[in-house]
Amino acid sequence: MASSTPVTLCCLLWARPGLTSALNAYEDAVIGLLSDHGAKIVQRAFGAGSAEHPHEVQLYSFPDQAALDGFLTDPRRLELADERDRVVARTELFPVTVPARSLAMISGVVEIDWASAREANRENWDDRAALHEQAYGLDAFDDPDHLSDVVREDLPVLSRFVANGSITGLDVCHLQCHIGTDTISLARGGASVTGIDFSPAALRTAARLADRVGASATWVESDVLDARAAVEGEFDVVYTSIGTITWLNDLDRWAEQVHALLKPGGTFFIRDGHPALYALDENAPSLTTRYGYFGDGRAQQWDDDSTYAGSGTVAHARTYEWPHPLSEVIGSLLRAGLRLVHFDEGKTLPWRFSPRMVEVDGGFAWPEAERNLIPCTYTLVARRD
């Protein structure tokens, strides 16, 4: 009787000279057969093939030995044998054990109510707070002139659209502020800042950092979708950046909060990951669309115990995100009564979205040959008249 124990394999692949792209294409075809056998690719990474390192590393998981046997004898796979012999110089295949919580994959597109999704996300972000307190390099803020990389990039753009070309003396509301590094940086720019976040653990970390470095900020625990009711007064600037609104299901409600928080004549600023970027398969050997660009109200369910900073893992791995095309982002702000005054797209990110990205000044970018093919971020400035 065949074993029902799951089988996870690691495959190392070396290309024949000059045939790395052909190897990747061959593997694309083979990997495309996995789902027919109940299997999935867990991770796929790419190397330069130098110093005996492989050109490609794969982890894939089968539900049992019978599924693996079916894949190995699949006639479609066997028909590719000649191409395999042409492009593959060397292969190493061996079983591995991967902790279940490390199989970070999208679990599907699901119907889920906002309250349940919000609670799962809050637990995840509570877990991230302690990890990010270690991974963000907070000691740098002991230097009173230090600003976060995000604010250092955003501030010159934002300053062009506020009175006197500076946020000094302005009231700023920072939505989705997390552990406060950008909030404190805005305060160091001279603003009176209120940071809003739904994670109490993140806000405790933010408050500790502010107290330690002598920064003045107000911290408010609230969903961004309820931000107007959570704070008093109106603001000269409402700011959010970066990796923010995919966590929200209702951009019309979000935009209404932004409008209501702003004083007449106030400025809204957002820089965020580009929805075209988020549609890409981060582990593909080329720019390949995998996820939906347009949303339909359903959430993407993810099971991922890692975070984008540091090597620690979270206890609450399941999260929910919503794709929002640019038309929805801009349309929601216009419907709320804001006027668009600036729009731009960028080629770098402050985190490594894909293992193929390379480190550049200001963050990470696609390899130079691909850098002009797809945007990584967008920046939008709008005004309440």
Side-chain angles (χ1 to χ4, degrees):
M1 184 174 180
S3 170
S4 60
T5 303
V7 179
T8 302
L9 298 173
C10 179
C11 183
L12 308 181
L13 294 149
W14 286 261
R16 294 192 184 277
L19 295 179
T20 304
S21 296
L23 167 68
N24 296 150
Y26 164 76
E27 289 301 318
D28 287 345
V30 173
I31 289 169
L33 304 176
L34 289 173
S35 60
D36 292 346
H37 299 277
K40 64 182 180 181
I41 189 78
V42 176
Q43 187 59 272
R44 190 178 181 188
F46 306 93
S50 59
E52 291 299 307
H53 297 153
H55 288 92
E56 185 164 335
V57 180
Q58 301 170 5
L59 286 178
Y60 42 87
S61 181
F62 291 83
D64 50 39
Q65 184 63 44
L68 173 58
D69 293 342
F71 169 72
L72 294 175
T73 58
D74 189 317
R76 297 168 295 176
R77 180 177 177 274
L78 298 178
E79 288 174 0
L80 294 169
D82 288 345
E83 179 65 6
R84 177 199 62 212
D85 293 342
R86 185 182 76 87
V87 303
V88 179
R90 174 182 165 196
T91 303
E92 292 184 17
L93 183 68
F94 48 92
V96 294
T97 300
V98 180
R101 66 179 186 167
S102 295
L103 303 183
M105 299 289 291
I106 186 170
S107 304
V109 179
V110 300
E111 298 275 2
I112 185 169
D113 65 276
W114 168 248
S116 299
R118 182 262 188 205
E119 182 62 15
N121 288 344
R122 184 197 59 76
E123 290 178 336
N124 177 271
W125 282 94
D126 278 351
D127 290 349
R128 295 188 194 208
L131 299 174
H132 289 177
E133 188 170 9
Q134 301 302 314
Y136 268 36
L138 300 187
D139 288 347
F141 283 87
D142 292 336
D143 176 357
D145 295 323
H146 177 76
L147 302 179
S148 69
D149 290 342
V150 170
V151 168
R152 188 179 297 111
E153 181 166 341
D154 289 346
L155 201 54
V157 180
L158 172 59
S159 296
R160 290 160 43 196
F161 298 96
V162 296
N164 301 318
S166 171
I167 63 170
T168 299
L170 299 184
D171 293 317
V172 176
C173 181
H174 180 192
L175 302 178
Q176 296 171 269
C177 68
H178 191 37
I179 65 171
T181 53
D182 299 334
T183 321
I184 290 168
S185 297
L186 293 168
R188 287 180 167 179
S192 175
V193 187
T194 298
I196 297 178
D197 200 89
F198 75 154
S199 165
L203 292 176
R204 288 193 294 270
T205 300
R208 282 196 301 271
L209 176 61
D211 288 345
R212 195 188 88 208
V213 302
S216 177
T218 300
W219 308 105
V220 177
E221 181 184 336
S222 173
D223 283 355
V224 66
L225 299 182
D226 298 318
R228 175 62 281 176
V231 296
E232 296 181 358
E234 295 177 320
F235 296 86
D236 300 293
V237 174
V238 173
Y239 170 91
T240 185
S241 180
I242 187 172
T244 53
I245 61 174
T246 60
W247 300 98
L248 308 177
N249 70 333
D250 186 345
L251 288 198
D252 280 336
R253 182 173 171 185
W254 164 76
E256 290 166 0
Q257 305 303 303
V258 171
H259 182 275
L261 287 166
L262 285 171
K263 298 176 181 178
T267 300
F268 171 63
F269 177 98
I270 180 172
R271 178 166 64 102
D272 212 341
H274 202 290
L277 176 83
Y278 290 154
L280 296 178
D281 184 343
E282 60 271 49
N283 295 313
S286 59
L287 299 176
T288 304
T289 301
R290 179 180 180 185
Y291 310 112
Y293 175 85
F294 295 99
D296 60 5
R298 294 181 297 166
Q300 295 173 340
Q301 178 178 293
W302 296 87
D303 290 285
D304 183 355
D305 68 351
S306 68
T307 87
Y308 55 84
S311 58
T313 57
V314 298
H316 300 90
R318 177 159 293 180
T319 58
Y320 299 91
E321 297 182 55
W322 289 263
H324 300 297
L326 283 179
S327 56
E328 184 184 1
V329 177
I330 295 172
S332 67
L333 294 168
L334 296 177
R335 287 189 293 274
L338 295 172
R339 176 169 56 88
L340 182 66
V341 296
H342 173 76
F343 182 82
D344 195 10
E345 294 168 297
K347 300 177 184 178
T348 64
L349 285 171
W351 81 96
R352 182 175 262 130
F353 169 81
S354 166
R356 291 200 307 112
M357 283 187 155
V358 297
E359 194 163 2
V360 297
D361 289 343
F364 299 91
W366 292 110
E368 189 170 355
E370 298 174 344
R371 207 162 295 167
N372 289 330
L373 298 181
I374 193 155
C376 290
T377 63
Y378 69 90
T379 299
L380 184 155
V381 182
R383 183 160 291 137
R384 176 179 176 178
D385 291 325

